Amino acid sequence: MKKKVVVLGSTGSIGKATLRVIDEQKDRFEVLGLSCKENVKTLNEQIERFRPRYVCVFDENKKRLIKGKGFKILLGLDGLKEMIHAGPDIVVNALPGSTGLIPTMEALKIGTVLALANKESVVMAGRIVREYLEKYKAKLIPVDSEHSALYQLLKTVNRDEVKSIILTASGGPFKDFSKDQLKKVRPADALKHPIWKMGKKITLDSATLMNKGLEVIEARWLFGFDVDRIKVLIHPESILHGLLELIDESFMAYMAYPDMMIPISYALNQEERHAISLPKLGIDSAMKLTFYPPDVDRFPALKLAYEALKEGDSAQITLNTSNEVVSTAFLENKIRFTDIPVIIERVLERHPKKEIILDLESVWEIYHWAKGYTEELLRKGY
Ligand code: MG
């Protein structure tokens, strides 16, 4: 029996990579549902190729542009929920940002396999995600490349053998920039990632290192290690995705060609490995791998994420929300690149602190406060 897959965010980079995996592994998977925000042109091509039973668009005005028949058209968040409840074996959540939170929780509630690329939902509600996993007997397999690496590595050792878990970061396009150079960075520069081709939000987050900060928080909730046992290393080649530092002074590392099809295939196949047509990593030719510690002086977003993780749940929600608002402002040319962490820090200083948050209403309450306050700072000056 083929596994039925729902792909949320099918026209984004992770969504497209997911469909490439499904296309190669047609004997194992069929597409039950596809969803996108507004890119109906790509969606129509995907509908023709994968024949889903459900299609969801976020923007209601785009409904009339959807071509083809034999499927139900759904709209907005309610549409996403209906699709998640239509009986998939696997839900791939590849939505960008906090819009991914509700679908993550819905997928966990039905006890399905959640292949999760949306790190923001774990950053905002990690504690509740953990509770749902237990309560609804759901399964979450991370798609984020570093977390997929750590997930696979952690299966091979006893937890008490692990000193720390290490996530690698490419360092983004500005890794060698001075503080002065960073001040002059423009949106177009920040949207050019040296290794990965991804959506706008995550590409900018990679340039500020906020992406790694969010991933540190994601790792905390997925793997349950304390903040001082989660480390980050800059590794520009993006070949080693995750490492374990072990108690006997040894390390275990996971290497892979930097293409999201690998972690996606591993998640879709529920921790089974299958052949994928990708270029070879080529470790038999000369290969140099470099590692160095991140510079939080030039890239304070990473430091802010660590502090938010120490401070508690409300700080993590605030960090994520404020980052979304200021990132948009930067991409709209309203603030400088170096203002991004400055504003987030101001918002964190003022936010209503609550260490433990156990319900989604409180998550959204803090989200709305952080969004409002960040917007206010952007209007009034900071
Ligand atoms: Mg990642």
Side-chain angles (χ1 to χ4, degrees):
M1 271 264 281
K2 289 186 187 182
K3 298 264 191 236
K4 295 194 276 295
V5 186
V6 156
V7 186
L8 309 179
S10 68
T11 60
S13 66
I14 298 283
K16 285 181 186 164
T18 302
L19 292 176
R20 280 202 296 279
V21 172
I22 293 176
D23 205 25
E24 279 195 14
Q25 304 180 2
K26 281 190 211 78
D27 52 328
R28 281 195 292 282
F29 302 107
E30 61 181 299
V31 174
L32 178 69
L34 293 172
S35 94
C36 80
K37 189 174 169 216
E38 54 181 6
N39 185 355
V40 175
K41 188 176 171 285
T42 304
L43 183 68
N44 280 334
E45 292 163 13
Q46 295 176 342
I47 291 170
E48 207 182 312
R49 186 157 188 99
F50 295 96
R51 309 266 163 210
R53 295 223 303 275
Y54 298 87
V55 167
C56 182
V57 277
F58 236 77
D59 185 343
E60 233 169 277
N61 301 317
K62 304 279 175 175
K63 185 183 173 181
R64 60 189 174 80
L65 301 173
I66 297 175
K67 288 191 189 124
K69 47 182 175 248
F71 51 84
K72 187 171 178 185
I73 299 178
L74 304 165
L75 293 173
L77 199 55
D78 286 337
L80 286 186
K81 283 191 197 169
E82 189 177 335
M83 206 154 81
I84 292 166
H85 288 271
D89 298 297
I90 304 158
V91 173
V92 179
N93 185 352
L95 296 170
S98 46
T99 38
L101 177 57
I102 290 173
T104 287
M105 303 322 278
E106 288 298 317
L108 293 175
K109 263 199 248 174
I110 58 163
T112 184
V113 173
L114 173 63
L116 186 67
N118 177 266
K119 64 196 76 176
E120 290 86 349
S121 45
V122 180
V123 173
M124 288 178 72
R127 195 180 301 276
I128 309 171
V129 165
R130 281 175 80 94
E131 184 204 318
Y132 274 33
L133 279 168
E134 207 165 303
K135 188 166 156 192
Y136 299 107
K137 306 274 172 273
K139 188 168 175 106
L140 189 163
I141 308 178
V143 165
D144 210 343
S145 57
E146 299 79 359
H147 302 73
S148 175
L150 292 168
Y151 186 92
Q152 295 179 55
L153 288 168
L154 285 167
K155 278 181 26 171
T156 67
V157 294
N158 289 324
R159 280 184 72 93
D160 52 13
E161 296 172 350
V162 180
K163 232 197 258 186
S164 65
I165 58 176
I166 303 168
L167 299 98
T168 59
S170 72
F174 312 133
K175 62 179 166 41
D176 303 318
F177 278 36
S178 69
K179 275 184 169 177
D180 272 341
Q181 283 175 302
L182 287 173
K183 278 184 195 153
K184 293 174 204 130
V185 158
R186 301 166 61 85
D189 309 322
L191 294 178
K192 281 184 221 135
H193 195 276
I195 307 268
W196 304 94
K197 198 181 173 303
M198 308 175 288
K200 273 186 189 175
K201 199 239 169 202
I202 183 171
T203 305
L204 175 57
D205 283 349
S206 299
T208 58
L209 283 201
M210 182 57 93
N211 182 53
K212 213 47 55 179
L214 298 176
E215 288 183 358
V216 166
I217 299 173
E218 182 187 11
R220 153 70 185 92
W221 294 113
L222 292 185
F223 307 123
F225 285 92
D226 285 341
V227 54
D228 52 341
R229 292 171 71 195
I230 308 172
K231 295 176 184 168
V232 169
L233 267 182
I234 304 294
H235 168 49
E237 296 86 5
S238 294
I239 299 291
L240 248 93
H241 303 284
L243 297 99
L244 301 183
E245 183 185 8
L246 302 166
I247 49 170
D248 61 356
E249 301 308 323
S250 66
F251 287 81
M252 284 174 72
Y254 173 91
M255 294 167 82
Y257 185 86
D259 191 298
M260 292 309 292
M261 279 176 80
I262 298 173
I264 291 166
S265 175
Y266 185 79
L268 286 180
N269 286 291
Q270 291 171 50
E271 307 174 35
E272 252 178 42
R273 263 174 246 286
H274 289 275
I276 306 177
S277 53
L278 278 175
K280 288 212 183 320
L281 186 52
I283 53 165
D284 45 354
S285 60
M287 180 186 275
K288 205 167 131 192
L289 301 176
T290 44
F291 304 93
Y292 52 92
D295 180 352
V296 292
D297 189 38
R298 281 182 303 136
F299 299 99
L302 182 60
K303 190 177 69 192
L304 292 178
Y306 270 102
E307 284 167 3
L309 189 48
K310 280 183 201 144
E311 202 168 303
D313 300 357
S314 63
Q316 294 157 47
I317 301 162
T318 302
L319 173 93
N320 182 63
T321 308
S322 187
N323 179 53
E324 289 185 4
V325 179
V326 290
S327 298
T328 307
F330 168 72
L331 292 176
E332 290 168 351
N333 257 315
K334 290 178 183 156
I335 56 169
R336 285 180 305 188
F337 183 78
T338 43
D339 293 335
I340 294 173
V342 174
I343 301 170
I344 297 170
E345 190 171 14
R346 296 261 187 290
V347 179
L348 278 167
E349 278 164 8
R350 289 286 301 274
H351 94 278
K353 292 186 181 76
K354 206 173 169 199
E355 202 184 326
I356 293 172
I357 289 171
L358 296 163
D359 63 286
L360 287 173
E361 295 78 66
S362 305
V363 171
W364 287 117
E365 218 171 273
I366 293 164
Y367 168 87
H368 288 297
W369 178 87
K371 188 168 184 283
Y373 189 64
T374 310
E375 286 165 352
E376 190 185 319
L377 286 185
L378 286 169
R379 266 196 318 272
K380 292 184 180 166
Y382 42 88

